[in-house]
Amino acid sequence: MRSLRGWSSLTVASLTSVLLASTSAHAVGDGGVNGSTDNEDQNISASANQSRIKVTQVSGPTGGKRGALSSTDVNWKPPPCWYEPVFTPAQLKNFAENDGKGDVSLRQGWIGPRLWTEHFKDEKEARNYFSTPSTAEGYKDYNLGKNGYFWRGVAPDVNEVDDTSKCGRLMFWQNAGETPDVPDAPTPKTLADYAYDKVKVPDTEIELKPEAESTVNLPTWVWLDKGTFQEVKVRAELPGTNLWAETTAKPVALHLEPGTEDAETYPASGECEINEDGSIGTPYKKGDAEQTPPCGITYLRASSGEPYALKASVTWQISWEGTGGAGGDLPDGTFETTQDMNVQEIQSINR
């Protein structure tokens, strides 16, 4: 075993932040390690900012223009960091001795085939720990022959330094089928939050009458045909843990912002609820020009050459279910688009 006394203070200090490093990913390979064909082990990565969570869209549109939701709760964020199984014993041996030899950030926690797993509160504690290797905890020969995984912290958003520092524990061992009893261990809720951040919903293209150009004091009808918006369900699974969650986004309302205070919305709140058949509002029909639309806008002043920016945002209700019957609600999400509306002074009726 190589002596630790020759390590620089910089190297020792960096042990406490190794999991926050934006290291490059090293895929184990399509066939796993040592001929393994276990699908759960095919996408293992040694990168601290790349999660192994497998994400699949179960239902909802997959084509056309789509985008991510914005949470209505400004304080809500997906979890900044958590622990994941990253290597089987054989995979870690192969990585440490072959694939990952050049990955300094990973190997800083290693001396030969022994893995140091303590979390140090400061550089002094780390230096004292490594100055007496005979009393340090480690794993002999990568735990070969044992059934389980080595886990490490994952922090996909490496910019959240204050939060990700919580997941500062170095790699540690966990028996197969078990989830570690430590802070920031993954849960179905963790996966549900992660899936929320991966939900993609269709662009909000509303139907208008009159289209793109309206007239002062003439109601503009707004609607969306049924089937335009469907539920979107995303499933997140963490290989090697039996943990999964499905997050479902259900469209519930369309909110209109005319782009000027000189306008009235229908309803007055600007919230057009989704009808039972999945449509929003009512399509314009000939002869409806003088009627009040169930969903729409009346502009009270001309746009004077500069179009109003009409904002239309759909509110999506978010729920989730996961391993062991877990489940609940997450903050609503919104997706917003903007389109130009020209408003003229001519008092004509478009029939």
Side-chain angles (χ1 to χ4, degrees):
M1 181 179 295
R2 181 168 63 88
S3 170
L4 291 171
R5 290 183 170 83
W7 279 26
S8 69
S9 61
L10 177 61
T11 301
V12 175
S14 66
L15 282 165
T16 59
S17 60
V18 60
L19 297 178
L20 305 185
S22 182
T23 61
S24 59
H26 295 270
V28 172
D30 293 337
V33 176
N34 297 336
S36 170
T37 58
D38 185 355
N39 289 335
E40 287 190 344
D41 297 332
Q42 289 181 7
N43 298 317
I44 292 178
S45 166
S47 175
N49 66 344
Q50 180 174 327
S51 173
R52 290 186 64 211
I53 295 175
K54 178 183 178 182
V55 176
T56 307
Q57 182 166 321
V58 178
S59 63
T62 57
K65 293 182 178 180
R66 297 182 300 150
L69 291 169
S70 297
S71 174
T72 56
D73 181 353
V74 296
N75 296 317
W76 183 88
K77 293 181 181 180
C81 63
W82 57 88
Y83 293 104
E84 293 186 7
V86 64
F87 286 124
T88 64
Q91 288 167 339
L92 184 52
K93 177 179 174 65
N94 183 71
F95 183 87
E97 297 181 0
N98 298 292
D99 295 341
K101 276 189 173 181
D103 192 333
V104 177
S105 67
L106 178 71
R107 291 182 57 78
Q108 280 172 342
W110 280 86
I111 303 299
R114 290 175 62 85
L115 174 64
W116 311 105
T117 61
E118 296 299 312
H119 176 58
F120 309 108
K121 63 183 180 182
D122 54 36
E123 181 180 345
K124 180 179 179 181
E125 182 178 325
R127 183 178 288 112
N128 291 339
Y129 183 87
F130 280 101
S131 67
T132 56
S134 61
T135 63
E137 177 189 358
Y139 299 98
K140 184 178 180 181
D141 201 18
Y142 309 101
N143 269 3
L144 287 173
K146 293 187 178 182
N147 186 19
Y149 292 91
F150 285 98
W151 291 55
R152 79 174 303 190
V154 174
D157 188 353
V158 295
N159 294 320
E160 295 288 343
V161 176
D162 291 340
D163 290 331
T164 55
S165 61
K166 295 187 304 179
C167 292
R169 186 179 179 185
L170 297 179
M171 203 177 294
F172 60 94
W173 173 260
Q174 190 70 38
N175 291 331
E178 297 179 357
T179 302
D181 184 17
V182 297
D184 302 302
T187 65
K189 177 64 162 47
T190 303
L191 300 186
D193 290 342
Y194 186 83
Y196 185 136
D197 208 39
K198 305 301 178 184
V199 170
K200 302 294 183 185
V201 298
D203 203 351
T204 309
E205 272 191 55
I206 57 176
E207 300 285 344
L208 298 171
K209 189 66 174 183
E211 298 177 11
E213 185 169 278
S214 187
T215 302
V216 171
N217 295 323
L218 179 68
T220 297
W221 288 60
V222 176
W223 72 94
L224 287 166
D225 292 332
K226 62 181 180 180
T228 300
F229 288 93
Q230 307 167 24
E231 287 188 358
V232 177
K233 180 179 292 187
V234 172
R235 182 181 179 90
E237 303 173 83
L238 183 55
T241 66
N242 295 319
L243 293 175
W244 64 271
E246 289 184 349
T247 297
T248 301
K250 178 182 178 181
V252 292
L254 171 70
H255 181 74
L256 300 176
E257 293 185 22
T260 174
E261 294 182 356
D262 295 314
E264 296 176 350
T265 58
Y266 310 105
S269 64
E271 294 283 340
C272 302
E273 295 185 359
I274 291 185
N275 303 320
E276 291 184 2
D277 64 358
S279 64
I280 298 177
T282 302
Y284 175 87
K285 304 188 304 294
K286 185 177 180 179
D288 284 344
E290 297 179 355
Q291 303 297 317
T292 299
C295 179
I297 302 168
T298 292
Y299 286 96
L300 307 178
R301 181 173 296 184
S303 52
S304 303
E306 185 71 26
Y308 295 127
L310 169 59
K311 294 182 180 179
S313 61
V314 172
T315 298
W316 298 76
Q317 191 177 72
I318 313 297
S319 61
W320 70 277
E321 59 181 357
T323 307
D329 296 324
L330 293 172
D332 289 349
T334 60
F335 187 74
E336 179 183 277
T337 56
T338 303
Q339 57 196 86
D340 291 342
M341 278 296 296
N342 291 294
V343 181
Q344 56 185 348
E345 289 282 2
I346 303 173
Q347 301 295 316
S348 62
I349 303 298
N350 186 353
R351 297 181 184 274

